[in-house]
Amino acid sequence: MKLSDSTVSRLDETQRLRFERCLNKFKDVLQSANIDLDALRNLNWLGIPNELPSELRSITWQLLLEYLPCNADRQVKTLARKRQEYFEGVSQAYARGIAGLDQTIWHQIHIDVPRTNPGTILYQCETTQQCLERVLYVWAIRHPASGYVQGINDLVTPFFQVFLSFYIENYDTSCLPKNVLDVIEADSFWCLSKLLDGIQDNYTFAQPGIQRQINKLKDLINRINAPLAAHLQKEGVEYLQFAFRWMNCLLMREMSLKHTIRMWDTYLAERSDGFSVFHLYVCVAFLDKWSDELKTRDFQGIMMFLQSLPTAKWKEQDIELLLSEAYRLKSLYHEAPNHLSRV
Amino acid sequence: MSTNYTYDYIIKYIIIGDTGVGKSCLLLQFTDRRFQPAHDLTIGVEFGARFVDVEGKKIKLQIWDTAGQESFRSITRSYYRGAAGALLVYDITRRETFDHLLIWLEDARQHSNSNTTIMLIGNKSDLESKRAVSYAEGEAFAQQHGLFFMETSAKTADNVEESFVDTAKDIYEKIKQGVFDVSNESNGIKVGGHLQPKTLPLNTDNGNNCC
């Protein structure tokens, strides 16, 4: 693994050395016969620079989700077995063609996939859509307690995109050989499954996980930003009205896919609660960030503003600030229920 | 953006109906006068607003557009109570979205204010060649259940304006008759007043009065 020639040609000498040093740190960890996940978490928390080879992120994500084993001897075998298991699952589910599928679930997924990242060529391409459809369908029938819930279609895309970039740079899936695409699909399925295992009650009946997260968000805003909390209350804004989507889609509707991927570097490094506890603190930091703007607006202005936040202009730096603020808040308030209130 | 622009009344609406029938597209056509063929799917609820003019009164419509998927039903139900108007939408090209209307209607009747005006909307009227539910069937259902009825196209904008405005007219009629307790905002109606709306020029429907 090394920096690509095209990347090197864009960098000056200092930058090149910096990224090479960074890559070497990852390599040191990854080349061990038994990978030290804590060491990998420490590196991953700070994000994987886009200048590093794209396969690096595929590998570290799969390791941190414990899909790819840490033990180098078991990696090839395990991946082959899991992929095979997925292909068999697909064959079974689709044994009698589309007509043999659960029509309610299938129809919902079928109309949602074309509405996933509608502005992006990669997701408008039929090959991609068929992959996502199968991943979501197989996941849904294997998880009857929740089934497919809208928003899960968004959550599969970072995996698909990261694993795809292992193979191609330009994102035209129709030019990929079938066996390569199959592997990307199977890996996306398993990694999505791992992610959802940790937040399953976000998607079971009445979505209790999300309701809990929203209550905690409200409680934390009361504690860290009382004037904002008071203003929202005065205007009759309920947290459910805007934060439901933040939880259901893990802020993916508020951020570009590129920035979501950067956020997930950190979420994945936060052990098993990255997508629940740490995400909650990211939402706290995120709402707090717009405080000045929100306090000048009435109910309608607040709702309209929160629905289309000006994050399109965000740079990677903004994401990093948000993540470090979330980290700070989590260290202060997590598992410190009341003694810090009204500080 | 003048969200504080003066108004005579604020009326709250809710849009309900099966997933994929075009609820968000109707709202976007009404508030922004544009059509987005591949609209992002709605998660939970989304909000939109616009002024309409009814009998010289400036009425601000605040509209909750709900997600159609069954999984979100327990979340979206909480929005019924505060709505004075409900648009119940089906897709004229998909029979099952019409067949589910009774479930939606029962849900709405059970969870909303009994005075809520309900407008039944058969959307996608531009797709005549794919029609699976006739106009007469839609009209008969509406009559049987005491609903207003219209076929619309969020794509061509046909009847979109009318469906929102006619609902507002009915609600305004009820306000005049004293059907609603307008002192209680939880009925979905808020009265303006302290802002002396009559001294301001009426900005009628010309597309620039989006709030």
Side-chain angles (χ1 to χ4, degrees), chain A residues 107-108 111-112 114-115 118 148-151 153 206-207 211 240-241 244-245 248-249 253 297-301 303-304 307, chain B residues 1 3-4 12 19-20 38-47 49 60 62 64 69 71-72 74-75 78-79 94 96 211:
Chain A
H107 176 78
Q108 184 70 64
I111 63 172
D112 286 356
R115 298 190 282 174
Y148 165 74
V149 175
Q150 291 180 324
N153 59 320
Q207 306 189 262
Q211 310 247 26
L240 185 72
Q241 290 164 346
F244 182 82
R245 188 169 78 172
N248 194 79
C249 302
R253 291 294 185 86
R297 293 168 182 255
D298 66 358
F299 173 83
Q300 186 172 317
M303 287 312 303
M304 302 302 268
Q307 234 164 244
Chain B
M1 185 163 87
T3 58
N4 288 318
K12 299 216 173 182
T19 175
H39 199 284
D40 276 352
L41 48 97
T42 308
I43 302 296
V45 292
E46 274 175 36
F47 179 83
K60 186 194 273 193
Q62 290 190 335
W64 292 108
Q69 203 195 4
S71 327
F72 298 122
S74 54
I75 303 297
S78 60
Y79 291 83
R94 272 169 52 218
E96 70 273 19
C211 1

Side-chain angles (χ1 to χ4, degrees), chain A residues 42 45 49 89 118 171 175 196 215 224-225 233 268 309 313 320:
Chain A
N42 287 338
W45 206 98
Y171 297 133
C175 69
L196 289 171
N215 289 338
I224 68 154
N225 190 340
Q233 188 172 10
L268 286 163
L309 288 162
K313 285 173 270 167
E320 275 159 13

Side-chain angles (χ1 to χ4, degrees), chain A residues 43-143:
Chain A
L43 292 175
N44 227 73
W45 206 98
L46 300 168
I48 302 174
N50 293 320
E51 287 77 4
L52 301 194
S54 46
E55 68 242 54
L56 183 65
R57 189 175 260 133
S58 290
I59 296 168
T60 62
W61 278 24
Q62 293 185 8
L63 282 163
L64 293 174
L65 281 161
E66 298 181 28
Y67 169 55
L68 185 65
C70 298
N71 186 324
D73 294 339
R74 290 175 39 226
Q75 288 181 342
V76 174
K77 250 191 183 159
T78 305
L79 282 189
R81 182 171 54 76
K82 295 300 268 184
R83 288 166 181 167
Q84 191 53 36
E85 196 186 317
Y86 171 74
F87 301 144
E88 282 164 15
V90 172
S91 312
Q92 262 173 27
Y94 283 74
R96 291 185 297 119
I98 301 291
L101 304 178
D102 178 314
Q103 290 303 303
T104 312
I105 300 175
W106 178 76
H107 176 78
Q108 184 70 64
I109 292 171
H110 186 68
I111 63 172
D112 286 356
V113 165
R115 298 190 282 174
T116 306
N117 299 335
T120 320
I121 296 166
L122 169 62
Y123 294 97
Q124 289 314 300
C125 142
E126 207 185 326
T127 340
T128 309
Q129 294 189 349
Q130 285 168 352
C131 281
L132 299 186
E133 218 171 279
R134 282 188 295 267
V135 168
L136 294 169
Y137 184 79
V138 174
W139 187 86
I141 56 167
R142 287 187 177 199
H143 296 83

Side-chain angles (χ1 to χ4, degrees), chain A residues 228-273:
Chain A
L228 175 62
H231 182 71
L232 293 177
Q233 188 172 10
K234 180 173 112 324
E235 290 300 324
V237 176
E238 286 171 38
Y239 287 69
L240 185 72
Q241 290 164 346
F242 62 89
F244 182 82
R245 188 169 78 172
W246 293 8
M247 303 303 173
N248 194 79
C249 302
L250 297 174
L251 284 177
M252 282 188 68
R253 291 294 185 86
E254 281 63 38
M255 309 283 183
S256 67
L257 191 51
K258 189 180 132 204
H259 287 151
T260 298
I261 289 172
R262 167 63 194 90
M263 283 171 65
W264 286 21
D265 285 342
T266 301
Y267 281 23
L268 286 163
E270 277 280 317
R271 298 181 176 272
S272 60
D273 64 7

Side-chain angles (χ1 to χ4, degrees), chain A residues 145-182:
Chain A
S146 59
Y148 165 74
V149 175
Q150 291 180 324
I152 296 179
N153 59 320
D154 287 329
L155 303 186
V156 67
T157 56
F159 293 122
F160 189 77
Q161 187 131 345
V162 166
F163 301 159
L164 183 68
S165 62
F166 189 116
Y167 299 96
I168 47 171
E169 295 283 338
N170 65 359
Y171 297 133
D172 177 5
T173 45
S174 58
C175 69
L176 274 179
K178 186 175 177 310
N179 60 336
V180 171
L181 207 54
D182 283 349

